[in-house]
Amino acid sequence: MENTIAFDARIPLQGQKALITGASSGIGEAIARRFASAGAAVGVNYLSGADAARNVIEEIRAAGAEAIPLQADVASEQDVAAMFRTFRDAFGRIDILVANSGIQMDAAVGEMTLEQWRRVIDVNLTGQFLCAREAIRCFSEQNVIPYSKAAGKIVCISSVHQIIPWKGHVNYAASKGGVMLMMKSLAQEVAEKRIRVNAIAPGAIRTSINRAAWQTPEAEQRLLRLIPYGRIGEAADVAEAAVWLASDQSDYVTGTTLVVDGGMTLYPAFREGG
Ligand code: BGC
C-alpha cells in the first residue's frame, strides 16, 4: 500500500492517533505535547495525576490539537484493555503507542522488599508488555492509513540502565534490561505485519523521578561527571527522538534502541583511566 498523503516534515505525525502512557508529567508529558504539535491526536494516560493530566490536555487543545484523558494503571490487564477501548471509541483507531510509564522504588538489595521488586517490574516491564500486546492487536485489525507507511509503531521508553548496572536499583535495572529484549523480540515477531517496535534509552533527564540527583549544586556536579556532553538532559530531548521513531522518517528502523544520554553510556570514567 502506498503512502498517498504527501509527507510534511513540519507535521510528521499528521492524522495519526497516539496513546502515551505516563503522560501527565516528565518525559511522557513532553512527548504528548510534542506529538500534538507534530500533528497527532493524543491520549494522555495517567495513574493518579488527574489535575496535571487535565492541564496538559487543556493546553494541547488550546493549541488546536486533540487530546483525551485516560486514567489507568498500566500494570492492570483490565485497566489496559479498558484504556484502549476508550481510546479507540474516541479516535476510531490507534497508530502509535509510546509505552513510557515508569517508576523507581530504590533500596539496597538487603532492604528491598518483594513489594518494591514486584511493583517496579509490574509497571516498567509488565505494563509495557500489556500495552504493546493491546496495541499490536489493534494494529493487526485495522487498515493501514495513508498517513503512515507502517501498520503501527511502538516506542518503548527504556533507560541507559538497560545497559548500565545500577547499585541500589536492582528492580529498576532488571525491568529496563527486560524492556530491551522484550522490544527486540516483539520487533522480530511483528515486522512481517509492518509493525515497527523501537526503544529510547534516556540518560539523566531533568524530571521529578531523579530530582535528588540534580536539585542541589553538589548533586548536579556529581551527576555531570557522568555526562560527557556536559549538561543534564531535558524531556524535550527525548520527545524529539520519539517523534522521529514514530514517523515515516524512520520507516526502515525496527528493533533498535536510540540512546539519548549526552554520552552517559560511553564509560565516562575511562576519560581518566584504563
Ligand atoms: C533514571 C534516573 C537516572 C537516569 C540516569 C533513569 O532511567 O530514572 O533516575 O538519573 O536513568 O542514571
Side-chain angles (χ1 to χ4, degrees), residues 104 158-161 166 172 176 202-205 209-210 213 223 264:
Q104 287 183 214
S158 181
S159 165
V160 289
H161 298 295
W166 204 15
Y172 185 83
K176 296 301 187 177
I205 307 298
I209 206 172
N210 59 359
L223 183 56
M264 198 173 224

Side-chain angles (χ1 to χ4, degrees), residues 234-257:
E234 302 299 333
D237 293 314
V238 181
E240 291 304 324
V243 169
W244 185 75
L245 279 177
S247 80
D248 275 1
Q249 289 180 308
S250 63
D251 188 56
Y252 206 50
V253 179
T254 193
T256 287
T257 299

Side-chain angles (χ1 to χ4, degrees), residues 120-135:
V120 169
I121 299 287
D122 281 355
V123 173
N124 297 11
L125 181 56
T126 308
Q128 291 210 11
F129 162 73
L130 290 172
C131 292
R133 185 182 67 174
E134 213 57 38

Side-chain angles (χ1 to χ4, degrees), residues 142-234:
Q142 311 171 151
N143 298 324
V144 178
I145 47 162
Y147 292 106
S148 172
K149 290 182 179 163
K153 282 100 36 161
I154 297 176
V155 180
C156 299
I157 304 301
S158 181
S159 165
V160 289
H161 298 295
Q162 71 173 32
I163 305 164
I164 305 176
W166 204 15
K167 172 183 165 183
H169 308 78
V170 64
N171 48 0
Y172 185 83
S175 73
K176 296 301 187 177
V179 164
M180 176 177 65
L181 270 179
M182 181 195 71
M183 177 279 289
K184 288 188 185 199
S185 300
L186 288 177
Q188 187 197 60
E189 184 167 338
V190 299
E192 66 193 24
K193 298 177 190 245
R194 286 177 54 203
I195 298 169
R196 297 193 294 114
V197 188
N198 290 287
I200 298 174
I205 307 298
R206 198 188 300 274
T207 69
S208 58
I209 206 172
N210 59 359
R211 187 179 304 281
W214 50 260
Q215 71 176 352
T216 66
E218 302 74 45
E220 184 166 2
Q221 277 316 308
R222 260 199 316 277
L223 183 56
L224 286 173
R225 283 205 291 276
L226 301 176
I227 309 173
Y229 199 59
R231 71 169 172 89
I232 296 173
E234 302 299 333

